[in-house]
Amino acid sequence: MRRLAGLLVVPLLLLTAACGGDDKGSDSASKNGFPAITAGEKFGEKPTLSKGQGDPPKELKTQVISEGDGAKLKNGDAIQVNYLGQAWDSDKPFDNSFDRKQPFDLTLGAGMVIKGWDQGLVGQKVGSRVELVIPPDLGYGAQGQGDIKPNATLVFVVDILKATQIPVSAKGTEVAQDNVDLPKVGTNTDGKAPSVKIPEKTDPPTKLVSNYILESKGDVIKETDSVVVNYVGLLWKDGKTFDSTYAQGKTQTFPLAQVTLKGLKNGLIGKKIGSRVLLVVPPDQAFGDKAQQSIPAKSTLVFAVDLLAKM
């Protein structure tokens, strides 16, 4: 089973290829063994980094530029950050979120990003600005990535904006599932994947279905939100699972503005955080006439989604 996140959401840095940038840094000397921030040093400002001096460290290095007064980050937290990254031996950033004005959302310790991030950010406080120097074995290694050369040591300045603890499961009032023509979804709240039983010898609906299975009292989701979810996705035709965060052992964060699967996006907007939702997505709001990995063309998709948190 292959993850389809790259088909559901516009790919982000640290998950796929890095993007080039036009910013130029300074060749000022390093500070305490870290490339110096020569402009934009304050939290929230876009920083300018000098080039690293001498041989880079062979181990992960973390320096707190300014410490916030928020909670300490733990593995499993959903966090939101701004960042700038460049190679140790370069004065040109390969990517930054400041220019996009779109913070980056991730679940810490879930393997969504390079290991240097997962390890270097644990224990840091919300509201802090942190500089990370990441050796190749905790970055992109010998293969490199996009504009990042093989065996590159990476330098990041990271502003920690938010952190949210993620519950293990959706919880709420059970909603009657009395339409025999729709899939039946389990109501377990133990953090394991809910069962999904698709009715046999029944034609799928031709319009999007978005129904509560467990209805919580959380905030209503807006298109501008980033939502932390667990989900299982199945084909209506044969009931086969094509994707599951439960099988991977990690949640997924969907910035809804970047979700490309129309039915998934429309089905989640307006629902309440903390709830479990059944989505039945017809082909015209899924992948249409195009096959995708294990999903045949013109497939109706079924999702059971736990809406765990929003950023």
Side-chain angles (χ1 to χ4, degrees):
M1 183 190 308
R2 296 181 62 188
R3 296 300 304 277
L4 291 176
L7 299 176
L8 305 179
V9 183
V10 176
L12 299 172
L13 173 82
L14 305 175
L15 300 179
T16 54
C19 304
D22 295 328
D23 303 284
K24 295 287 286 185
S26 163
D27 277 336
S28 298
S30 299
K31 184 178 180 181
N32 300 324
F34 290 79
I37 299 176
T38 58
E41 187 169 351
K42 293 182 179 179
F43 183 93
E45 297 179 342
K46 178 186 173 182
T48 300
L49 271 175
S50 66
K51 183 186 296 186
Q53 301 296 304
D55 293 332
K58 297 185 182 300
E59 297 179 351
L60 175 67
K61 298 291 184 182
T62 304
Q63 175 178 239
V64 178
I65 305 300
S66 61
E67 187 173 59
D69 56 7
K72 289 185 177 181
L73 301 184
K74 305 183 301 299
N75 282 330
D77 285 350
I79 70 172
Q80 186 175 82
V81 302
N82 271 320
Y83 66 89
L84 178 141
Q86 68 186 45
W88 174 272
D89 59 357
S90 174
D91 60 1
K92 181 180 179 181
F94 53 75
D95 194 36
N96 83 90
S97 64
F98 294 93
D99 287 345
R100 289 194 297 272
K101 296 179 170 51
Q102 176 63 55
F104 179 57
D105 300 297
L106 67 141
T107 301
L108 197 60
M112 296 172 61
V113 290
I114 56 177
K115 292 180 180 179
W117 270 51
D118 273 341
Q119 296 179 20
L121 294 179
V122 168
Q124 305 300 334
K125 293 181 179 180
V126 174
S128 297
R129 167 165 284 194
V130 179
E131 186 172 353
L132 305 174
V133 179
I134 300 176
D137 62 316
L138 298 179
Y140 293 106
Q143 75 273 14
Q145 182 79 295
D147 292 338
I148 301 172
K149 297 177 182 179
N151 296 312
T153 294
L154 307 178
V155 183
F156 287 93
V157 176
V158 182
D159 285 355
I160 304 169
L161 305 177
K162 298 179 183 178
T164 302
Q165 289 188 331
I166 303 176
V168 298
S169 172
K171 292 184 178 181
T173 303
E174 292 189 20
V175 177
Q177 302 181 63
D178 49 13
N179 188 337
V180 297
D181 294 327
L182 291 179
K184 298 295 184 291
V185 180
T187 57
N188 58 297
T189 58
D190 56 2
K192 297 180 181 179
S195 60
V196 181
K197 182 174 177 56
I198 297 172
E200 297 179 0
K201 300 179 181 179
T202 301
D203 291 333
T206 57
K207 295 184 178 180
L208 175 67
V209 173
S210 176
N211 293 345
Y212 283 116
I213 304 300
L214 299 173
E215 184 173 4
S216 181
K217 297 180 179 179
D219 293 340
V220 173
I221 296 171
K222 304 185 297 296
E223 185 175 359
T224 54
D225 290 330
S226 291
V227 186
V228 183
V229 300
N230 262 329
Y231 68 87
V232 58
L234 307 93
L235 300 175
W236 178 284
K237 183 177 181 179
D238 56 16
K240 289 184 178 180
T241 298
F242 61 81
D243 194 14
S244 171
T245 58
Y246 299 95
Q248 300 295 327
K250 62 186 73 172
T251 59
Q252 181 72 41
T253 300
F254 288 157
L256 288 179
Q258 299 174 20
V259 171
T260 56
L261 196 74
K262 184 178 178 181
L264 178 62
K265 178 179 181 177
N266 292 342
L268 297 184
I269 293 172
K271 290 296 188 277
K272 299 173 186 175
I273 290 295
S275 302
R276 177 171 297 161
V277 177
L278 164 69
L279 301 180
V280 182
V281 183
D284 63 339
Q285 295 196 49
F287 297 114
D289 293 334
K290 296 180 180 180
Q292 298 284 359
Q293 296 180 13
S294 60
I295 301 175
K298 299 181 180 180
S299 289
T300 296
L301 308 182
V302 178
F303 292 91
V305 186
D306 277 15
L307 305 169
L308 301 176
K310 74 172 185 175
M311 301 300 293

